[in-house]
């Protein structure tokens, strides 16, 4: 699900204030996007970095490190009813519209959708800027800061601070 938040600008036209990407994931066919389980495999690396094997390799290592805990939770969910989770892949807000509740609305939409879909757990990999929004909406940090497992050639690169956050599973009955 691709969400776009718009706000009327001074001329009355709609300005894009933010956006989010939510995806339902499962290892069980028919309950979520199985193809997105391994984000690295679903990327078209040569399109992103044509003929640049080093950048492709770096991106693969970063994404595998970033989504390691998410994949574990998706596997855990296979024994639940329904056997899926909701994952917030991306939430971004234009700096001109930050601190106006836009991110909160985009995140809340996904949480509401997770509830409608049978009380699915929601997860995300949170940057420093997003953590307070996610925490306010019920996400809890699990573990320490994400450790990026990188080959020696990439060890000197500065990596962003991210943590894994999840809401916990809460089966709802209709």
């Amino acid at each position: 699900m691709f969400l776009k938040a718009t706000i009327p600008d001074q001329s009355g036209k709609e300005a894009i204030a933010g956006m989010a990407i939510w995806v339902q994931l499962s290892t069980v066919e028919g309950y979520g996007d199985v193809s997105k389980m391994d984000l690295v495999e679903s990327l078209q690396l040569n399109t992103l970095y044509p003929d640049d094997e080093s950048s492709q390799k770096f991106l693969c290592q970063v994404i595998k490190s970033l989504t390691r805990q998410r994949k574990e939770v998706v596997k855990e969910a296979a024994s639940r009813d329904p056997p899926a989770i909701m994952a917030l892949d991306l939430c971004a807000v234009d700096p001109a519209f930050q601190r106006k509740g836009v991110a909160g609305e985009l995140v809340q939409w996904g949480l509401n959708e997770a509830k409608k879909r049978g009380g699915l757990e929601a997860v995300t990999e949170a940057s420093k800027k997003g953590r307070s929004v996610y925490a306010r909406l019920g996400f809890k940090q699990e573990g320490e800061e994400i450790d990026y497992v990188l080959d020696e050639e990439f060890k000197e690169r500065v990596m962003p601070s991210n943590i894994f956050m999840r809401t916990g599973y809460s089966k709802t009955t209709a």
Side-chain angles (χ1 to χ4, degrees):
M1 284 79 50
F2 294 85
L3 304 176
K4 174 175 73 172
T6 59
I7 296 177
D9 66 14
Q10 294 154 343
S11 69
K13 293 181 181 176
E14 294 290 312
I16 297 174
M19 54 86 62
I21 301 172
W22 282 94
V23 62
Q24 182 171 321
L25 298 173
S26 179
T27 58
V28 179
E29 194 72 42
Y31 285 94
D33 196 335
V34 177
S35 68
K36 295 273 189 204
M37 274 297 299
D38 192 343
L39 191 55
V40 170
E41 289 181 15
S42 69
L43 289 174
Q44 296 175 343
L45 294 173
N46 206 44
T47 302
L48 293 170
Y49 297 105
D51 303 316
D52 184 351
E53 288 184 29
S54 178
S55 292
Q56 292 176 19
K57 183 178 175 184
F58 173 69
L59 182 60
C60 286
Q61 291 176 14
V62 168
I63 291 174
K64 281 183 179 181
S65 296
L66 190 64
T67 60
R68 181 188 55 80
Q69 288 172 279
R70 174 192 295 203
K71 288 163 85 174
E72 291 172 10
V73 173
V74 174
K75 288 175 186 172
E76 286 172 20
S79 63
R80 300 179 188 158
D81 180 27
I85 68 163
M86 289 289 282
L88 177 59
D89 273 346
L90 179 69
C91 184
V93 177
D94 182 314
F97 297 103
Q98 290 177 354
R99 308 196 79 56
K100 298 181 188 303
V102 175
E105 290 293 323
L106 292 165
V107 173
Q108 188 61 59
W109 182 92
L111 295 174
N112 293 344
E113 191 66 21
K115 187 174 182 178
K116 284 185 213 170
R117 294 177 182 214
L120 301 180
E121 177 171 18
V123 303
T124 194
E125 293 80 22
S127 67
K128 284 185 177 180
K129 283 202 171 218
R131 294 173 194 174
S132 63
V133 173
Y134 307 137
R136 188 172 69 251
L137 294 171
F139 285 83
K140 293 182 178 29
Q141 179 176 344
E142 183 169 284
E144 300 299 316
E145 189 170 306
I146 291 172
D147 179 35
Y148 294 93
V149 180
L150 304 173
D151 286 349
E152 199 59 42
E153 65 188 289
F154 306 123
K155 290 282 186 188
E156 296 302 314
R157 294 192 184 190
V158 177
M159 299 305 299
S161 170
N162 285 292
I163 59 171
F164 183 73
M165 298 183 83
R166 62 194 291 189
T167 60
Y169 173 65
S170 63
K171 173 65 179 152
T172 60
T173 54

